[in-house]
Amino acid sequence: MAKTYIFGHKNPDTDAIASAIIMADFEQQTGNSEAASYRLGEIGPETQFALDHFKVEAPELLNDNLADQNVILVDHNEFQQSADSIADATIQHVVDHHRISNFETAAPLYYRAEPVGCTATILYKMYKERGFEIKPEIAGLMISAIISDSLLFKSPTCTEEDVQTAEALKAIANVDLESYGLDMLKAGASTTDKSISDILSMDAKSFNMGDYSTHIGQVNTVDIDEVFARQEELTKAMLETSANEKYDLFVLVVTDIINSDSKILVVGPETDKVGKAFNVELENNTAFLPGVVSRKKQVVPQITEALNEVV
């Protein structure tokens, strides 16, 4: 049987890493013994906390050329967020909860996308549909992914299905959702020991928005001011990255996981359109966005609409 590579997006978050591991376990239960999980970037402290808690090894970093290789994508579909050689791979399956964009294949495939808060929620349904065993560590990773993507059920992307899934899994994983969730989120929230590069890349995605190339990073914290104390350094690095990668916009979303608000830092020639997207005036390339915590639902659609607005 040919090897199957399973991985989430670049700059992986907890859902991307957890879903790759979970999907590999799912595939192995179908009889695909050659299914293996991989990652497209470094493991963040929040994700490492979850892996350590449930005693799961991190996936191997993917370095192989995927030309003519079988792959399964989880937690993403857009090619610019995927492996560099993804266009030459044979995509067999996608499991995702994001928009579908910049994606095409030469052959039919299994594609499952649902408007829930987390890919792991969809994977849980797939296990239940097939009657597959959910081991404690798999249950733990599912819970971790849901808590991460929903900010402990506070994000507007969180659905009742996400909440019910976590509730159904907590006994298997043997965790208290509230206490475990807070500990996990806080593990990834300190930025004092992170480099500027780490802050900008730990959870960053590129998007094609009409004629514009936009890069949006997000960092969760318990102290927004802690991050913005380094605004000059962040701005310089964002401008350099934008020049090298030819981004029209680079937006950093700094999210307070306790109070569920965000502050953004924006660089690029289309900065004024970001202000219009949120109906705010940018001051020193920044703006406070009360109640905004979800990049997928509260940032990407708004900026996309503003960039594509006909003047």
Side-chain angles (χ1 to χ4, degrees), residues 46 49 147-148 151-152 180-190 220 257:
E46 176 193 283
F49 178 92
I147 287 173
S148 176
L151 286 179
L152 199 50
Y180 170 75
L182 279 174
D183 287 345
M184 186 190 76
L185 291 176
K186 287 179 179 177
S190 175
N220 293 333
I257 61 173

Side-chain angles (χ1 to χ4, degrees), residues 28 38 72 80 128-129 191 218 225 233 243 253 292 298 306:
Q28 287 162 12
Y38 289 86
I72 294 175
Q80 71 270 22
K128 299 299 287 185
E129 289 163 3
T191 62
Q218 185 168 26
D225 291 338
E233 294 176 87
V253 183
V292 171
Q298 296 175 294

Side-chain angles (χ1 to χ4, degrees), residues 1-7 23-24 26-28 30-36 66 68-74 76-77 79 82 86-96 103-112 126:
M1 182 177 290
K3 188 173 187 177
T4 302
Y5 294 79
I6 304 173
F7 49 88
M23 188 68 193
F26 179 91
E27 281 292 299
Q28 287 162 12
T30 69
N32 184 1
S33 60
E34 295 301 313
L66 297 174
D68 300 320
Q69 298 296 320
N70 295 328
V71 305
I72 294 175
L73 305 184
V74 292
H76 76 297
N77 67 82
F79 277 17
S82 199
I86 190 62
D88 300 317
T90 300
I91 303 174
Q92 297 183 316
H93 201 151
V94 177
V95 182
D96 192 17
F103 178 86
E104 63 178 27
T105 62
L109 74 161
Y110 292 100
Y111 198 113
R112 184 156 181 170
M126 291 167 59

Side-chain angles (χ1 to χ4, degrees), residues 22 28 31-32 36 76 147 166-167 193 205 228 288 306:
I22 296 163
Q28 287 162 12
N32 184 1
H76 76 297
I147 287 173
E167 287 287 340
D193 60 344
K205 294 180 178 180
F228 277 86
F288 183 71

